[in-house]
Amino acid sequence: MLRFIARRFFAMILTLWVIATLTFLLMHAIPGSPFNNLNGKVLSDAAVRNLETHYHIDKPLPIQYLIYLKSIATFTYGPSIKQPSQTVNDLLGRGFPVSFELGMWSLAVAVVSGVVLGIFAALKHNGFIDYLAMTIAVLGISIPNFVLATLLIQEFAVNLRLLPAGTWQGFAYMIMPVVALATGPMAIIARLIRSSMLEVLTQDYIRTAQAKGLSPFLIVTKHALKNALLPVVTVLGTLAASILTGTFVIEKIFAIPGMGKYFVDSINSRDYPVIMGTTMFYSALLIFMLFLVDIAYGWLDPRIKMGKEGD
Amino acid sequence: MKKLFSKVCLLGMTVLLVLAFSGCTAKPDSSSKKSDGKQVLKLNNGSEPTSFNPPIGFDAYSWNALNNLMEGLTRLGKDNSPHPAAASKWDVSPDGKTYTFHIRENAKWDNGDDLTAGDFEYAWKQLLNPKTASPAAFLGYLIKGGEAYNLNKGSADDVQVKAEDDKTLKVTLNAPQSYFLNMISNPAFFPVNKKVAEKDSKWYANAKTFVGNGPFKLASWKHDANMVFKKSSTYWDKKTVKLDEVDWAMVNDTNTEYQMYKTGELDVASVPPDLSDQLFKEGKVKVGQQAGTYFFSMNVKMKPFDNAKIRRAFALAVDNKKIVNYVVKQKNDPAYGFVSPGFKDPSGEDFRAHNGNLYKYDPKAAKKLLAEGMKEEGITKLPPVTLTYNTTDINKSIAETVQEMYKQNLGVSIKLANMEWNVYGVDQKRGKFQFSRGSFLADYGDPINFLENFITGMPMNSMQWSNKEYDRLLKEAKNEKDDTKRYALMYQAEKLLMKEMPLFPVYFYNQSELQSSKVKGIVRHPVGYMELKWATKSN
C-alpha cells in the first residue's frame, strides 16, 4: 500500500509538471497581450512597456518559464494583472472556500437524492416510480443548469419573493444555486445507481440474504448498495473536482464570489499569473480526487487490489 | 460484510463532517438589517474593483466607487465643470502655466490626519513613476517633467509638482491648458496619505487599511462580494452629503442584476441586453450623455482607402440614423462629427453645435465620389474590402447593416471579419486592419482629448493617417493660452479631420440605466465618474 502511494505520488508530480509546461506554452501561444487594450482603452507603447517590466513579461520566454516553475514550486504566484492589489493566492484563498462550500452542499444533495432516486427506481423496476424517477433524471441531465437557475430565480425570487435573487450571505442564498448545481449530477448518479442496482439485485448473494430472512431494507442498504456504489465512486472523483472548484455559469448568475470566474476571466484578459494559478490548482485537486477514488475502490471492494501486478 | 458496511458509513460520516464544518463559514444574513429610517442606497458595481490605488484602477469598476471615497483638488459639479474641492482656491500665473493651489484648512483624511500638499505631491509622482506602471500616467504628461520621468528619461525631482508648505501646492505645466482644472478632478490625481502609504504599501487593498478624504468612508469590503460605504464624519462638506450608507453588490450577470432590481435588492441597475428593446420602448430607462464616439477607421496606407474620395464615399453611404434607430435602439444620437456634444466654448456655444454636421448621409453623392475616386486611381474594380470588428452582438449587427448599405448604395460587396477583443486590440494598434471598428471614450473633459488621437503616430491612430496641417493645428491648440483661439484651432482641426475622413463616426455613446423612483440626485458626468455626494433616497 505504501509503495503504491509513493509511486502514485511521484506520478502525480510528473503529471503536474507536464500540465504546467503545456499551460505555459499554450497561454503564451494565445495571441493578444494583457495590456494592449486595458478596459477598452488603447494604451501608449510607453505605458505597455512599463507594465511589461512590472510583471516581468519583458523577459525572454525561457526565463519566464523558470520564474513560473519556481512560483509553482513555492506556491507564490504573485499579483494578478487584472486586480493588481491582489495576489493569485489571495484570489484562490477567498474564492475556493466559497466554491467549496457551494460544491460540498451540491455534491451532498446530488449524491443523497441521486442514490435514493436510483434505489427506488431499481426496486420498482418498470413500475410507476421507476418511470417517474427516470423522467426526473432525464430532465435533470438535459436541462442545462443555467436555464434551471434562471427559471428558479424568476419563480422563487421575482414571482414568489421567497428567496433572494443573488449574492452569497447565508443559508437562504444557498438554496437555489445548490439546487441548480445538484440537479445534473443527481440525474447522472440516479441512473448509475439504478442500472448497477438492477445488476446487483439479481446476484446470488442477494438471494442468499433473502433466504436468510433479512428484511428488504437491510438487504438493500447493507448488501446491495455498497456494491452498486462502485460506479458512482468512479464518477465522483471527477465530479467533485469540477464542482468544488466552482462553476463559472452558476456563480455568475447568482453573483457568488467563488473561483469559477477566474478560470474564464483570466483567459479572456490574458491574466497570466491567474491562468497558471487556477490551472495548477484545479489539476492538483483533480489528480488528488482521482487518487482518493482509487483508494476508495480497494476499500469498498477488497477484490480490487492495489500496488500489485499490473497497477 | 459487516466491516465493509461500516466503511461505507465512515465515508458518509466524513462527508457530513466536512459539510458541517464548511457550514460554519456561512455568513449572517445582512438583508434582515433594518434601515431605521436611514438613507441606504443599494448599488451594483458589476465586479470587484481593479484597485483602489488611485493611479492603478483606471476603469469605471474602480473609479465610480473611488470617486466617492476620495477627492482631488477639484470636483466636477452638477454642471460638469470643476469646482473647488480639496483645494479651496487657486491662483494662476499670468502665462497660464503655473497653478498654486491652496488646500482647505479643514480638509482631513478619514483617519483624522490633516490633508497636506505633500500628499498630493506624493500621489502625483506615484502616478508618473515608471515603476508604478500606471496605465493612466499619460494624463500627467502635461505637468512639466512628467513625461520624461514616466519614460525613464528624467527624475522624480524634475517633475514640477511641489508642496511649498503643508497647505500650498505649486504645479507647473508644459503649456497653458485651461482643462487642467477639469483633468485633476479625475481619480488619477487623487491624493494619497503619505504617512499611511509609507508604512503600508498595500494600504488600498482592504477596508481596514484604506484611508480616503471623500464624502464617504469605506466601512467594509468583502472582496468579490460587496462593499459598504458610510457617510464620512471628517469630510469638509459633510452637511451636503445626505446618504447614510451605500451598499455595493458585485453582480456580474445583467439578468440577475435586473431581477435584484425588480425585487428591491438594488436601487439602480444596468439595462439587460435581452430586455433592452422593451425597456427602452416603455420609457423605463434613464438616458444620460456620455462623451464618446463609435466610429469606423479606414487605413490610409491600404488600398482603396489611400484615396480621399473613396474614403468619403464609404462614409456618405452609411445611414447613421438608421443604425441608431433600428440596430442599436438605445436612444443614441447619430454622429456627423467626431467630438461628442457637451463641451462649451468660451462664448457658451457647444462645440458640436458650432461645428455642426460635417457631412451627411447621401447615397447619390457617395456613388459619384466612388466613381471619381476610382477614376483617379485608374481602376475599374475595387480591391476587396474587409471590415473587421471585435466580437460582440452589437458590433456584429452594425457591421452587417453597413455591409448591406454598401451593397445597396455603392454596389460594393465587402467582407466581414471578427476577432476576440485582446487580439483585435493588438492588431488594430499595429495598423493591420484595412477597415475596422473603433471606439473612443474621453478621459478628460475637453475636445482636444478627442482630436489628439489622430496626431501622427498616436496609439489610437490605427488608420495610420498623417497630416502636417492637422498636427500643426493640434500642436498650436495645445500651446494656446487664450481659450477662444484654442477653440478656433480645434474647430478647424475637426473640420480638416472630417474632410480628409480617415474615419467616419456612427453615433455618440450614452449612459443608460434603470433607477428606482426613490432615488434622486445621482450625478453622472459625460466625462467622469459617478457622484453620490448629492444623492438622496426616500424610504
Side-chain angles (χ1 to χ4, degrees):
Chain A
M1 188 70 174
L2 264 179
R3 237 185 82 202
F4 166 76
I5 292 179
R7 231 168 51 194
R8 279 299 298 257
F9 185 74
F10 179 72
M12 274 158 70
I13 300 289
L14 200 72
T15 316
L16 281 178
W17 174 72
V18 172
I19 292 173
T21 308
L22 277 177
T23 310
F24 180 83
L25 291 175
L26 284 174
M27 94 188 168
H28 283 279
I30 324 175
S33 141
F35 310 119
N36 264 297
N37 240 302
L38 214 64
N39 308 299
K41 309 259 185 203
V42 183
L43 295 182
S44 69
D45 290 338
V48 172
R49 258 198 311 277
N50 282 343
L51 280 161
E52 285 181 346
T53 316
H54 190 79
Y55 287 100
H56 309 294
I57 302 182
D58 56 339
K59 298 203 167 65
L61 273 189
I63 303 221
Q64 284 190 47
Y65 178 66
L66 289 179
I67 297 176
Y68 164 79
L69 281 186
K70 192 184 149 211
S71 65
I72 289 174
T74 54
F75 301 107
T76 45
Y77 296 106
S80 152
I81 293 176
K82 212 176 159 221
Q83 292 183 27
S85 49
Q86 308 286 326
T87 65
V88 178
N89 292 9
D90 290 340
L91 296 184
L92 297 182
R94 66 174 188 243
F96 181 63
V98 175
S99 291
F100 184 80
E101 190 180 355
L102 169 64
M104 266 308 196
W105 282 110
S106 307
L107 212 55
V109 169
V111 170
V112 171
S113 54
V115 167
V116 170
L117 216 57
I119 291 176
F120 277 106
L123 289 180
K124 310 283 172 189
H125 184 42
N126 284 339
F128 172 72
I129 294 182
D130 185 19
Y131 290 132
L132 183 72
M134 283 308 107
T135 310
I136 296 175
V138 169
L139 282 179
I141 291 177
S142 43
I143 298 178
N145 57 15
F146 55 89
V147 174
L148 186 63
T150 317
L151 285 174
L152 287 173
I153 294 183
Q154 182 60 31
E155 202 49 43
F156 291 99
V158 179
N159 292 347
L160 297 175
R161 304 274 165 118
L162 284 176
L163 295 168
T167 72
W168 190 249
Q169 301 174 46
F171 182 72
Y173 294 81
M174 284 187 197
I175 298 173
M176 288 197 292
V178 165
V179 170
L181 202 53
T183 306
M186 175 200 79
I188 296 172
I189 293 170
R191 285 168 60 99
L192 281 173
I193 287 281
R194 176 179 175 269
S195 55
S196 56
M197 265 302 240
L198 282 176
E199 199 190 312
V200 169
L201 284 176
T202 58
Q203 304 227 337
D204 287 344
Y205 73 93
I206 298 291
R207 207 170 304 143
T208 312
Q210 282 167 339
K212 281 198 298 186
L214 290 180
S215 71
F217 179 76
L218 267 181
I219 294 174
V220 169
T221 52
K222 222 171 139 180
H223 296 280
L225 187 58
K226 73 181 165 287
N227 278 342
L229 272 179
L230 271 179
V232 175
V233 171
T234 315
V235 295
L236 218 52
T238 340
L239 209 61
S242 66
I243 287 187
L244 294 183
T245 47
T247 33
F248 175 67
V249 183
I250 291 296
E251 287 181 0
K252 184 168 187 276
I253 291 178
F254 289 102
I256 297 168
M259 63 178 282
K261 66 171 166 300
Y262 302 134
F263 286 101
V264 181
D265 288 355
S266 63
I267 296 173
N268 282 339
S269 58
R270 311 287 189 274
D271 195 339
Y272 297 138
V274 180
I275 295 180
M276 71 192 197
T278 48
T279 315
M280 292 318 294
F281 186 82
Y282 180 77
S283 317
L285 194 74
L286 181 65
I287 290 172
F288 182 67
M289 284 294 171
L290 293 178
F291 174 67
L292 281 190
V293 166
D294 280 356
I295 302 234
Y297 271 162
W299 206 29
L300 280 173
D301 186 349
R303 283 175 302 182
I304 302 172
K305 291 275 180 272
M306 276 168 298
K308 297 202 178 130
E309 65 214 276
D311 176 64
Chain B
M1 282 296 170
K2 206 169 180 183
K3 224 171 102 199
L4 280 176
F5 180 61
S6 66
K7 280 176 188 168
V8 176
C9 284
L10 204 69
L11 205 73
M13 268 168 66
T14 320
V15 171
L16 278 178
L17 241 142
V18 172
L19 276 180
F21 173 70
S22 67
C24 296
T25 62
K27 287 117 207 150
D29 191 343
S30 78
S31 67
S32 59
K33 243 184 340 195
K34 286 274 171 306
S35 56
D36 315 323
K38 280 186 176 170
Q39 295 192 27
V40 181
L41 181 66
K42 287 177 270 180
L43 298 178
N44 177 25
N45 199 43
S47 172
E48 165 84 1
T50 308
S51 174
F52 275 168
N53 190 12
I56 299 296
F58 187 35
D59 54 30
Y61 289 134
S62 311
W63 284 358
N64 269 337
L66 193 62
N67 198 32
N68 298 291
L69 292 172
M70 292 184 127
E71 186 166 86
L73 294 167
T74 61
R75 181 181 280 277
L76 296 183
K78 294 174 193 169
D79 58 353
N80 303 323
S81 62
H83 291 264
S88 56
K89 58 183 184 346
W90 47 82
D91 314 311
V92 188
S93 66
D95 67 355
K97 286 188 187 176
T98 304
Y99 285 74
T100 309
F101 293 95
H102 303 281
I103 291 168
R104 237 172 251 283
E105 287 302 323
N106 57 347
K108 286 205 181 305
W109 290 100
D110 54 27
N111 66 352
D113 289 354
D114 252 352
L115 177 71
T116 67
D119 294 334
F120 279 95
E121 182 186 335
Y122 178 77
W124 293 15
K125 285 184 176 170
Q126 287 256 296
L127 169 71
L128 290 162
N129 189 337
K131 290 217 176 73
T132 310
S134 163
F138 71 94
L139 291 172
Y141 284 7
L142 81 176
I143 298 168
K144 208 169 182 181
E147 183 166 6
Y149 180 38
N150 190 241
L151 299 180
N152 279 313
K153 287 174 191 156
S155 74
D157 296 332
D158 296 334
V159 180
Q160 293 304 309
V161 184
K162 291 260 147 43
E164 303 264 280
D165 58 51
D166 267 3
K167 293 286 176 186
T168 319
L169 185 77
K170 202 167 136 188
V171 186
T172 309
L173 308 181
N174 286 320
Q177 293 292 285
S178 57
Y179 57 82
F180 178 60
L181 290 171
N182 182 306
M183 198 162 194
I184 55 175
S185 69
N186 186 298
F189 293 91
F190 283 173
V192 167
N193 189 324
K194 193 178 167 188
K195 259 195 265 172
V196 172
E198 280 178 345
K199 240 184 274 162
D200 178 6
S201 61
K202 290 256 234 163
W203 61 275
Y204 44 78
N206 290 296
K208 255 192 208 138
T209 49
F210 183 89
V211 277
N213 67 326
F216 295 91
K217 184 179 161 56
L218 181 60
S220 86
W221 182 6
K222 242 182 257 151
H223 292 286
D224 266 319
N226 58 58
M227 293 181 286
V228 177
F229 290 7
K230 293 245 161 80
K231 182 179 168 173
S232 168
S233 57
T234 53
Y235 183 52
W236 64 272
D237 195 16
K238 62 185 173 200
K239 63 176 193 303
T240 308
V241 182
K242 295 288 176 302
L243 292 173
D244 295 290
E245 191 178 312
V246 186
D247 292 351
W248 298 80
M250 298 179 197
V251 181
N252 191 241
D253 186 278
T254 48
N255 288 316
T256 308
E257 185 186 10
Y258 176 67
Q259 275 150 338
M260 288 175 74
Y261 170 75
K262 294 278 270 188
T263 59
E265 289 166 78
L266 290 175
D267 293 321
V268 179
S270 58
V271 184
D274 301 345
L275 293 171
S276 166
D277 285 4
Q278 190 193 337
L279 291 167
F280 267 96
K281 226 181 265 165
E282 289 169 2
K284 289 189 174 151
V285 182
K286 211 168 156 280
V287 180
Q289 261 184 1
Q290 180 166 28
T293 312
Y294 188 111
F295 62 95
F296 284 108
S297 317
M298 293 171 279
N299 193 329
V300 301
K301 292 260 167 75
M302 289 188 191
K303 291 205 173 297
F305 297 122
D306 50 349
N307 183 293
K309 280 190 174 154
I310 296 181
R311 291 201 296 269
R312 201 168 175 79
F314 270 75
L316 264 56
V318 174
D319 189 350
N320 294 350
K321 222 177 256 166
K322 229 180 210 166
I323 291 178
V324 166
N325 290 337
Y326 301 109
V327 184
V328 186
K329 293 187 280 194
Q330 299 193 351
K331 301 210 166 141
N332 297 83
D333 289 326
Y336 298 98
F338 190 69
V339 179
S340 67
F343 302 105
K344 299 252 185 303
D345 70 13
S347 72
E349 198 181 7
D350 194 277
F351 186 100
R352 189 70 274 131
H354 181 280
N355 247 7
N357 290 347
L358 294 176
Y359 76 102
K360 65 179 204 304
Y361 169 60
D362 189 345
K364 261 189 204 146
K367 201 156 191 180
K368 209 175 131 222
L369 276 167
L370 181 67
E372 286 172 17
M374 284 165 67
K375 207 172 165 197
E376 279 177 17
E377 296 296 311
I379 47 173
T380 51
K381 196 171 163 282
L382 272 187
V385 174
T386 306
L387 171 59
T388 315
Y389 57 93
N390 60 299
T391 319
T392 69
D393 289 344
I394 194 86
N395 288 345
K396 181 167 183 266
S397 316
I398 293 176
E400 284 167 354
T401 313
V402 167
Q403 185 185 37
E404 187 56 35
M405 284 172 177
Y406 286 148
K407 198 175 264 172
Q408 277 186 7
N409 296 338
L410 296 178
V412 172
S413 295
I414 64 163
K415 280 199 203 103
L416 300 182
N418 62 324
M419 273 185 187
E420 190 255 359
W421 183 226
N422 280 291
V423 184
Y424 181 82
V426 174
D427 282 1
Q428 186 175 49
K429 201 167 108 179
R430 289 188 189 140
K432 282 193 179 171
F433 299 138
Q434 179 190 23
F435 187 24
S436 61
R437 175 256 172 190
S439 67
F440 175 72
L441 285 174
D443 289 309
Y444 56 93
D446 195 88
I448 199 135
N449 190 206
F450 283 77
L451 297 170
E452 68 185 351
N453 290 310
F454 308 108
I455 296 173
T456 307
M458 288 293 276
M460 276 266 294
N461 192 345
S462 61
M463 45 297 269
Q464 310 211 28
W465 185 62
S466 173
N467 184 300
K468 283 205 182 90
E469 173 68 5
Y470 187 83
D471 292 358
R472 184 188 63 81
L473 286 169
L474 263 290
K475 197 174 170 199
E476 271 180 37
K478 284 188 158 202
N479 286 300
E480 180 54 62
K481 191 185 142 201
D482 178 19
D483 245 10
T484 310
K485 283 186 196 154
R486 198 171 69 88
Y487 264 82
L489 289 163
M490 294 194 294
Y491 285 138
Q492 234 182 311
E494 198 203 27
K495 279 181 187 150
L496 177 61
L497 179 72
M498 296 314 291
K499 187 179 144 246
E500 286 289 315
M501 285 204 138
L503 62 94
F504 64 91
V506 180
Y507 65 85
F508 298 121
Y509 287 110
N510 60 16
Q511 320 187 46
S512 54
E513 53 264 300
L514 304 161
Q515 186 172 311
S516 154
S517 55
K518 291 178 187 168
V519 177
K520 301 247 150 44
I522 296 179
V523 177
R524 296 178 177 88
H525 307 291
V527 189
Y529 298 87
M530 193 198 250
E531 302 275 5
L532 303 173
K533 184 176 169 178
W534 301 284
T536 59
K537 186 182 165 190
S538 53
N539 284 308

